[in-house]
Amino acid sequence: MTQHNTALAIAALKDLLGDRLSTGESIREIHGRDEAYSEPALPDAVAFPESTQEVSAIVKICAQHRVPVVPFGIGTSLEGHVIPTHGGISVDTSRMNKILEIHESDLDAVVQPGVSRTQLNQELRATGLMFTVDPGADATLGGMAATRASGTNTVRYGTMRENVLALEVVLPDGTIIETGSRARKSSAGYDLTHLFVGSEGTLGIITRLTVRLFGQPETILAATCGFETVDAAVNSVIMAIQMGIPMARIELLDEVQMKGMNIFNQDLNLPEKPHLFLEFHGSDASVKEQVELFEGVGEEFGASDFAWATKAEDRARLWAARHNAYYAGKSLRKGCESVVTDCCVPISELADCIVRTKEIIDEAGLIAPIVGHVGDGNFHLLILFDPNDPEELTKAKQLASDVNRVALSFGGTVTGEHGVGTGKKKYMVEEHGAAYALMATLKRAVDPENIMNPGKTVDIN
């Protein structure tokens, strides 16, 4: 890419979009960062398409001039996915925010990529249905599919991998393709839908999604309980899963995180020891049975301080506190910044992996609260550091690196849900071996000019 090529592309895009192409610095700054502690980089311009045809036209112009294209949802990614490290055009899909179809009998919905999970669930409220993938942030469904997002209720309902049935995608040459269908299964050819789910905008731009829906449960009950050790909390969950208790959410918060929760949420006031935040879905009878079974399991591992939330407002308050764990963790150190990382290991290895993780946190001399979707082996670290101390930032990044490699040593992955972006790319060879080269082959085949979100996930130049 040259400045001349970029100028030509911007001129053509201006003719196409008018004032929906912005070169203003404030708009470019918004699209030059995400929610991680990543080095910002500004796009040369930001495009705001309103249809698939406009996305296709934008990509064709960029392909003609070999200018990078970086898809942008709402900017809540955590590994630098949306940061245009090579400049180019940021394609903001926020105006493509229509819910196109809801098929109540088939339990699916067709949406544009700029629809948020909250927006979809508000629309579904009167139907008795719900979209279940909840990463915490009110992310767009296009971005959630691109990063293969998951969240607090994955243990019951699955990740975006299980909840995306079909896609419409604009390829790097501007071609529009459709993958999958509304049928619940197919053995017709390669599974292209799930090639694009998790591709992080490196293979194309998602412009329409068909997503799976579930019925809203008759009864929902949330709870918290404390344990003396993380090991006891995790092992209680393992036994509960082995017994087939169909819990909807099982969240682990270590004693450090609980201290931050009490500081940030002054009405929480829970003991500062490892906790599980739980939720049960089903009929009145089945939820009662699930609760009784889990109480028995928890008591076997020394659970205490059971607190139940049956009212909707109490449940909302509890999960709002959990979703604000990032800010609660930062409240442990005034004026700090944070390096965020996540890993995922087989559930049977989770307790030992977290114990080893806490040992290396202590060795580093840093504060790093842990939260985890313990039902699927995924946990997160919020590593706090002084932004005015370069040595602490170096130590924080090294700690994140060490934790990722600990996860690999336990047979896990360096990211359960945050994705690769630029932050995790350096671990890909260690995790995937020769298969990583195949990813590069696929990228090269689909995007030979390397214009789609270059520098993320995999390199081909």
Side-chain angles (χ1 to χ4, degrees):
M1 179 185 71
T2 66
Q3 290 184 340
H4 178 65
N5 284 10
T6 302
L8 290 174
I10 289 174
L13 291 170
K14 197 71 175 176
D15 289 341
L16 174 70
L17 300 171
D19 61 6
R20 288 187 288 116
L21 183 83
S22 175
T23 55
E25 187 169 352
S26 61
I27 298 295
R28 292 164 58 219
E29 285 179 350
I30 291 170
H31 293 77
R33 61 179 185 267
D34 63 6
E35 291 196 352
Y37 196 81
S38 304
E39 187 71 27
L42 271 59
D44 293 289
V46 180
F48 294 90
E50 295 180 347
S51 68
T52 298
Q53 288 67 33
E54 284 191 342
V55 173
S56 174
I58 290 166
V59 173
K60 285 179 180 178
I61 289 169
C62 291
Q64 178 185 352
H65 298 287
R66 297 188 178 182
V67 171
V69 178
V70 181
F72 187 97
I74 202 170
T76 55
S77 60
L78 292 166
E79 294 293 347
H81 304 83
V82 299
I83 298 175
T85 54
H86 293 69
I89 309 301
S90 179
V91 180
D92 186 319
T93 59
S94 61
R95 298 191 186 192
M96 297 176 65
N97 61 354
K98 294 183 177 63
I99 298 170
L100 302 173
E101 301 169 17
I102 295 173
H103 304 108
E104 296 181 33
S105 298
D106 294 318
L107 299 176
D108 69 59
V110 183
V111 301
Q112 289 186 312
V115 171
S116 72
R117 64 176 184 84
T118 299
Q119 177 189 351
L120 178 57
N121 276 322
Q122 286 174 341
E123 185 73 18
L124 291 170
R125 189 172 297 169
T127 69
L129 302 176
M130 62 181 182
F131 176 72
T132 58
V133 183
D134 177 7
D138 191 22
T140 62
L141 299 192
M144 288 169 62
T147 55
R148 200 157 54 235
S150 54
T152 56
N153 48 23
T154 297
V155 64
R156 177 73 174 263
Y157 299 106
T159 72
M160 288 298 284
R161 179 182 63 190
E162 290 79 33
N163 285 281
V164 174
L165 300 173
L167 295 173
E168 178 185 76
V169 181
V170 174
L171 297 180
D173 64 356
T175 300
I176 302 168
I177 65 166
E178 296 183 1
T179 72
S181 71
R182 291 180 49 241
R184 283 306 173 99
K185 63 180 182 179
S186 171
S187 57
Y190 296 141
D191 188 354
L192 295 180
T193 299
H194 293 99
L195 174 64
F196 289 98
V197 173
S199 63
E200 302 185 356
T202 62
L203 301 178
I205 300 179
I206 295 169
T207 52
R208 190 178 70 222
L209 309 86
T210 301
V211 295
R212 186 180 183 186
L213 306 176
F214 288 84
Q216 295 174 14
E218 175 187 341
T219 300
I220 301 175
L221 182 64
T224 62
C225 58
F227 293 81
E228 294 306 313
T229 66
V230 167
D231 188 71
V234 172
N235 284 323
S236 73
V237 172
I238 292 172
M239 179 172 284
I241 290 173
Q242 289 173 340
M243 291 174 61
I245 303 175
M247 293 172 288
R249 306 193 206 209
I250 325 169
E251 296 293 289
L252 171 71
L253 298 88
D254 77 347
E255 68 281 2
V256 183
Q257 181 65 47
M258 288 307 301
K259 182 177 181 180
M261 298 290 278
N262 285 336
I263 294 171
F264 188 76
N265 307 279
Q266 295 183 0
D267 60 341
L268 201 61
N269 196 30
L270 291 171
E272 291 175 6
K273 58 185 179 181
H275 268 69
L276 293 179
F277 283 29
L278 307 147
E279 192 165 272
F280 305 90
H281 293 179
S283 66
D284 285 341
S286 69
V287 166
K288 182 179 179 181
E289 181 184 17
Q290 292 171 46
V291 167
E292 290 174 352
L293 288 169
F294 187 82
E295 281 184 323
V297 171
E299 288 171 3
E300 187 172 334
F301 289 92
S304 61
D305 305 301
F306 273 93
W308 302 98
T310 55
K311 295 180 180 178
E313 57 268 28
D314 293 335
R315 293 197 311 272
R317 189 180 306 114
L318 178 67
W319 291 112
R322 166 58 186 90
H323 285 322
N324 285 325
Y326 172 80
Y327 304 103
K330 289 189 72 173
S331 71
L332 290 165
R333 187 175 181 185
K334 189 175 181 179
C336 71
E337 289 292 346
S338 64
V339 171
V340 181
T341 193
D342 87 306
C343 303
C344 191
V345 296
I347 299 172
S348 62
E349 303 285 1
L350 182 60
D352 288 342
C353 185
I354 289 180
V355 167
R356 177 59 189 138
T357 295
K358 292 178 80 67
E359 289 173 352
I360 63 175
I361 292 170
D362 290 341
E363 291 165 6
L366 296 171
I367 300 172
I370 294 174
V371 299
H373 312 309
V374 64
D376 52 34
N378 186 201
F379 67 98
H380 306 251
L381 261 70
L382 183 70
I383 306 170
L384 308 181
F385 67 93
D386 181 349
N388 298 312
D389 187 341
E391 184 178 340
E392 274 205 4
L393 174 57
T394 299
K395 288 171 66 176
K397 289 182 176 180
Q398 183 59 52
L399 175 56
S401 179
D402 292 343
V403 171
N404 281 292
R405 291 193 164 96
V406 165
L408 292 177
S409 74
F410 280 93
T413 173
V414 297
T415 176
E417 59 187 18
H418 288 181
V420 178
T422 55
K424 303 269 187 172
K425 193 168 65 172
K426 60 186 176 183
Y427 310 110
M428 290 297 96
V429 172
E430 292 176 61
E431 178 166 336
H432 296 290
Y436 189 52
L438 179 59
M439 294 183 199
T441 300
L442 290 169
K443 165 74 169 171
R444 195 174 290 110
V446 176
D447 183 19
E449 298 297 337
N450 195 27
I451 68 165
M452 292 303 308
N453 208 5
K456 316 298 169 50
T457 305
V458 62
D459 289 320
I460 63 172
N461 291 335

